[in-house]
Amino acid sequence: QRTIAAERVPHALLFVGPPGVGKRTLARTLACVLECAAEPAQRPCGLCRACQRIADGNYPDVRVIESERAVAGKQDRRDISIDQIRALQHQMSLKPYEGRWVIGIIADAHTMSDAAANCLLKTLEEPPGQAVLILTAPDTAQLLPTIVSRCQVFTLRPLSPEATAAALVDRFAVPEQEAQRLARLSG
């Protein structure tokens, strides 16, 4: 929050954690925070044009790259192509069209081809001025060490079973005993 308020956002962030922990959600939320038109203390508002368009996936200054097979429900180690990374690099080299930043989100960055990963290094080494790159992956070990070393890494962990049970009780009125059982089963 302090970094965002001071507008000293790192040029590259890496969110790592197990599947389903919220890496993509956090990446999109951060994009909303950076582009939101509300006062800094109230970002993301979820109501302004930027927040709504980012949520809908059609904001011109936010580009999400994900593997084409992941969209179709299949996944392979080499799904994000060099062409996708080059298109992202081109967009990030331009000035923001509508917002304050140009934001690139690479979901499941560990599925980049070797050529795509090496191509991305150029952007990480010499980041454009008003650009922020957000990568997500299950683990830093699945990425090139040179990519990890150029990103600020945030490790996301699942909630504890106690916190999950409390949320089920508070938010969804699940009976206490059932909430505890569901929390243990959810992992």
Side-chain angles (χ1 to χ4, degrees):
Q1 287 174 335
R2 287 189 303 263
T3 300
I4 292 167
E7 294 198 19
R8 297 178 63 205
V9 181
H11 74 278
L13 301 120
L14 172 58
F15 298 151
V16 295
V21 79
K23 299 178 296 285
R24 286 185 201 193
T25 301
L26 180 57
R28 286 184 187 271
T29 301
L30 178 58
C32 285
V33 168
L34 294 173
E35 299 290 9
C36 183
E39 292 298 317
Q42 300 177 355
R43 294 179 190 164
C45 70
L47 303 172
C48 71
R49 174 181 165 87
C51 286
Q52 290 179 347
R53 291 189 69 197
I54 291 169
D56 291 342
N58 61 10
Y59 190 72
D61 294 323
V62 176
R63 183 179 192 130
V64 179
I65 302 294
E66 54 190 348
S67 67
E68 293 166 2
R69 291 186 192 180
V71 174
K74 302 173 191 169
Q75 189 120 359
D76 185 17
R77 165 68 177 101
R78 313 236 181 255
D79 281 344
I80 297 177
S81 71
I82 191 170
D83 292 334
Q84 289 174 289
I85 297 302
R86 285 182 177 149
L88 175 64
Q89 287 173 320
H90 173 71
Q91 182 173 355
M92 293 185 77
S93 71
L94 304 173
K95 291 186 180 201
Y97 178 75
E98 194 172 309
R100 292 183 293 271
W101 302 91
V102 176
I103 302 166
I105 299 172
I106 303 177
D108 296 325
H110 62 288
T111 65
M112 284 187 286
S113 68
D114 291 339
N118 286 319
C119 183
L120 180 65
L121 283 172
K122 175 82 169 142
T123 300
L124 292 173
E125 290 167 354
E126 300 171 18
Q130 289 185 284
V132 176
L133 189 59
I134 305 169
L135 291 78
T136 71
D139 190 349
T140 57
Q142 295 182 17
L143 296 168
L144 292 175
T146 48
I147 288 178
V148 175
S149 70
R150 288 165 176 81
C151 296
Q152 186 168 350
V153 180
F154 292 89
T155 302
L156 307 178
R157 292 177 175 68
L159 291 174
S160 68
E162 296 79 21
T164 303
L168 288 169
V169 170
D170 293 344
R171 290 187 183 175
F172 303 105
V174 174
E176 179 82 30
Q177 204 168 30
E178 181 72 3
Q180 289 175 3
R181 187 178 76 76
L182 290 171
R184 282 193 311 276
L185 291 172
S186 74

